[in-house]
Amino acid sequence: MTSESASWMRKTLCFLAVILTLCCSTVCAACSDSTATEKPARGKVAEIAERGKLLVGTTGDYRPLSFREADGTYWGFGIEVAQEIASSLGVEIEFVKTSWPTLTADVLAEPQLFDLAIGGITITDARRETMLMSEGYLANGKTILCRAQEADRYRSLADINKPEVRVMVNPGGLNEKFANEHLTHATIVVHQKNEEIPSLVAGGEADVMITEITEAPYYVKADPRLAAPLLQAPFTHGQIGVLMQKGQDDLLQAVNSIIQRMKTDGSLRTLHEKYGLVYAY
């Protein structure tokens, strides 16, 4: 059997396992109350299969995890994970634009705007209180970008937490939250477009960008004017996962199964290597 055939077989078995689980759950529900007049819930995976398309919310401003080009095409590590989820479910994929300030509201919107959200979304207890999050598929942590000639200037949070240091963040996400909580003496500058901040720092419009260890290496490689001096000593440690509405436990189970399979068969590690990300599983 070729590697392509083996991969196709694994995806097919994964999809069939999800459908079998849903069918068994429906049959058991019907048997437990044969007099019920309401039809049992079909489940989110069955709804997606019937639609023939997985709707995925993503910000499209977070290289190399999720980026939207001017022509509307998306690329990135998280985008490829989403494509693998859709492929494993046997459906097509459609990306829906969201933003960091509106992410929670968009996930919880009724009627739903998309089935799940992906691309640089950190797993937190606060998010899990109101939504569902998958198991982690990428390790992350807060770090900084600065101008390369000033890399020796920043060796700790204390070096950054000074009034003369201009710290630029995008609004509504955990980067802004981290800056407001830990850099109370620094000058915080909020800029609407996350993807523009690295070049603004390089050009002298700000001194430091609060970012993630997943994002910083991309910009250092792309722009020699930038450095990430604290990349190996992040301020926080966490994981990135898939976000979705509560009540979609069947979809959560399917996504976790796909992530686990990608860890087991080596495809997640290969994807990390493609984008220059640190594999931690």
Side-chain angles (χ1 to χ4, degrees):
M1 178 181 293
T2 65
S3 59
E4 291 82 0
S5 298
S7 177
W8 178 86
M9 182 65 72
R10 284 194 297 269
K11 292 177 182 179
T12 302
L13 291 175
C14 179
F15 178 64
L16 291 175
V18 170
I19 295 301
L20 181 59
T21 300
L22 292 172
C23 292
C24 290
S25 299
T26 302
V27 171
C28 290
C31 292
S32 63
D33 187 5
S34 59
T35 62
T37 56
E38 294 184 1
K39 292 177 64 178
R42 294 186 308 145
K44 190 64 181 178
V45 174
E47 176 187 326
I48 293 168
E50 183 175 311
R51 185 197 304 141
K53 182 182 296 183
L54 179 69
L55 303 178
V56 177
T58 193
T59 61
D61 64 349
Y62 195 167
R63 298 182 180 99
L65 305 187
S66 165
F67 194 77
R68 184 180 186 271
E69 297 289 356
D71 62 2
T73 58
Y74 286 86
W75 64 268
F77 177 86
I79 298 302
E80 293 203 41
V81 172
Q83 290 169 337
E84 181 64 25
I85 292 171
S87 176
S88 297
L89 293 176
V91 297
E92 297 180 353
I93 193 168
E94 179 180 325
F95 293 104
V96 180
K97 188 75 169 65
T98 184
S99 69
W100 295 112
T102 65
L103 177 61
T104 296
D106 288 349
V107 170
L108 298 176
E110 291 292 352
Q112 282 185 267
L113 301 178
F114 41 76
D115 304 309
L116 55 83
I118 202 167
I121 304 172
T122 302
I123 300 171
T124 66
D125 291 337
R127 283 176 171 146
R128 279 179 161 164
E129 285 180 3
T130 57
M131 297 168 282
L132 296 177
M133 289 215 73
S134 72
E135 66 177 72
Y137 62 85
L138 175 63
N140 74 337
K142 297 298 176 192
T143 191
I144 65 166
L145 281 175
C146 67
R147 286 181 291 281
Q149 67 266 32
E150 297 183 347
D152 291 338
R153 178 182 174 186
Y154 307 111
R155 293 301 179 186
S156 67
L157 270 179
D159 294 335
I160 304 165
N161 195 23
K162 298 177 180 179
E164 63 269 24
V165 180
R166 298 164 298 167
V167 178
M168 189 170 282
V169 295
N170 61 303
L174 295 182
N175 290 339
E176 183 183 22
K177 183 175 185 291
F178 177 87
N180 288 335
E181 289 179 354
H182 298 280
L183 300 173
T184 55
H185 298 296
T187 300
I188 307 299
V189 181
V190 177
H191 186 76
Q192 292 297 318
K193 294 186 177 181
N194 183 70
E195 68 271 22
E196 293 178 351
I197 298 178
S199 62
L200 292 173
V201 170
E205 298 298 317
D207 301 307
V208 167
M209 175 188 183
I210 297 297
T211 182
E212 304 276 358
I213 61 173
T214 51
E215 184 180 35
Y218 174 86
Y219 287 105
V220 171
K221 183 178 181 180
D223 190 336
R225 297 176 298 168
L226 293 171
L230 300 174
L231 190 62
Q232 302 304 319
F235 306 130
T236 63
H237 298 273
Q239 294 190 79
I240 285 172
V242 179
L243 185 66
M244 65 190 78
Q245 274 193 13
K246 282 191 173 181
Q248 300 185 166
D249 297 87
D250 61 324
L251 179 58
L252 179 65
Q253 180 182 351
V255 169
N256 281 338
S257 295
I258 293 164
I259 292 173
Q260 188 56 53
R261 188 256 301 163
M262 293 180 70
K263 291 176 179 177
T264 301
D265 67 16
S267 58
L268 190 63
R269 179 187 289 274
T270 300
L271 200 56
H272 275 73
E273 293 171 352
K274 175 179 177 179
Y275 288 95
L277 300 168
V278 177
Y279 189 76
Y281 302 101

